[in-house]
Amino acid sequence: MKKVDVVLGAFFGDEGKGKIIDYLSTNADLSLRCAGGNNAGHTITFDGKKFAMHLIPSGIFSGAVSIIGNGVVVDPKVLLEEIDTLQKAGISTKNLIISDKAHVIFPYHKEYDVLEEEMRSNKIGTTKRGIGPAYSDKMARFGIRMEDFISNKFKELLKQNIESKNKIFELYGKEPFDFEAIYKEYKGYAKKIKPYVKDTINYIHSALENGKKVVCEGAQAALLDIDFGTYPYVTSSNTTIGGILNGTGLNASNIGRVYGVIKAYSSRVGEGPYVTELLDKTGDQIRELGHEYGTTTKRPRRCGWLDLVALKYAVRINGFTDIVMNHLDTVGKLDKIKLCVGYKDKAGNITSEYTTNPDILKDMKPVYKEFKGNFNAEHITKYARLPKEAKQYIKAIEDFIKVKISFIGTGADREDMIVR
Ligand code: GDP
Ligand code: IMO
Ligand code: MG
């Protein structure tokens, strides 16, 4: 049986997971999305075209059977728009399958996401896509799964949900939801989505038993994990390796290579602690050079240096067998590059052990090692062709985390990649 390759974000998201999944999918039969929803935005660039995928696995571009797993929360309207965009671009969606166990996002989830943010003193800066409330409903067993959405149970389940949610919205002085209008709209979506909905768990395992190659696309990243991230400034799912198993029905023995994706610098969108954040001109420079504006919300991303303390933690939790480092071309455009190799606390103690406690993190100061920049890595596809300054930077990262950087991104295009 072939082993499953997994791609996971190692920091706060937007490391370039879409690009590597697109690459790994070229020889895969199945491509799976496992967690999150349309809070994700995965960019794929090829032949002068750029696609931002929010729900459909990036493997769709290589013709792999593309599965939205049971761990994903699906906004049907966004999904249908995405299907439409692909079809208009001449990309077939006949290979798309949606798990019958994936949960559906409804308008009250999105509104509640906004309301919860309004009520909080510690704003999270969510994407307002209804992700947290949809997962809350899943855990509270109020959620509506795809299998219910496309069945004749849907009307009753939606009615119950809207009646109970309306009580909450009314308490907060908000407009109640109109059941009939939502039912009418969403019944239409269910009809369109029904042909794609199947049991994916047995399907995936049969495919593996028949020698098929499977790749998994993680969404978000380690430090946004509901358990292992910088809680409460996280998303509402397990974005680390466990989420891959829970979000697909794969078992631990199925897992092969685990690719942790990083950028040669770092970024975060939304609130929460970020030890290596640069609030100065260099931060602005990285944002402009790296085009660091959200794929999903268009928000400017917070930018900073690569943090090896956090990366070591992400390696431990996920068991990365390989690292994928994108944007080497971008850091090469800076005069000097800094790499965080330790955290100094208020008392002056230095540690290389990450903690996710925001109260502790806010007082940590990064300890940096400095490297020469001003090198040109753009569009290079052979490691040997990289300037020595770039190689020194890569080696320092590998020496620290003891994991090989097997893929190096040297531009946004599918072709801009060094495979070692
Ligand atoms: P994801 O959410 O992890 O898939 O990442 P996003 O798509 O949100 O953000 C990554 C951004 O970096 C996208 O705009 C990509 O096109 C771009 N990108 C990925 N790899 C590279 C690279 O090696 N160099 C450059 N310059 N851009 C890259
Ligand atoms: P990809 O897959 C970057 C962040 C939001 C916010 C927090 C919670 O493209 O890397 P949510 O809407 O999930 O409740 O928001 O998580 N966030 C992401 N940041 N990339 C993502 O996905 C993200 N998905 C969620 O900005 O801080
Ligand atoms: Mg993204």
Side-chain angles (χ1 to χ4, degrees), residues 7 34 87 95 104 107 138 161 179 185 219 239 249 295-296 304 318:
V7 171
C34 315
Q87 287 175 347
N95 276 342
V104 183
K138 172 178 172 172
N161 261 289
F179 163 71
E185 183 184 349
T239 56
T295 314
T296 301
N318 290 296

Side-chain angles (χ1 to χ4, degrees), residues 13-17 39-43 53 220 294-296 301:
D14 305 323
E15 300 91 347
K17 296 177 289 292
N39 47 351
H42 298 175
T43 315
M53 304 306 290
Q220 290 79 50
T295 314
T296 301
R301 294 178 182 148

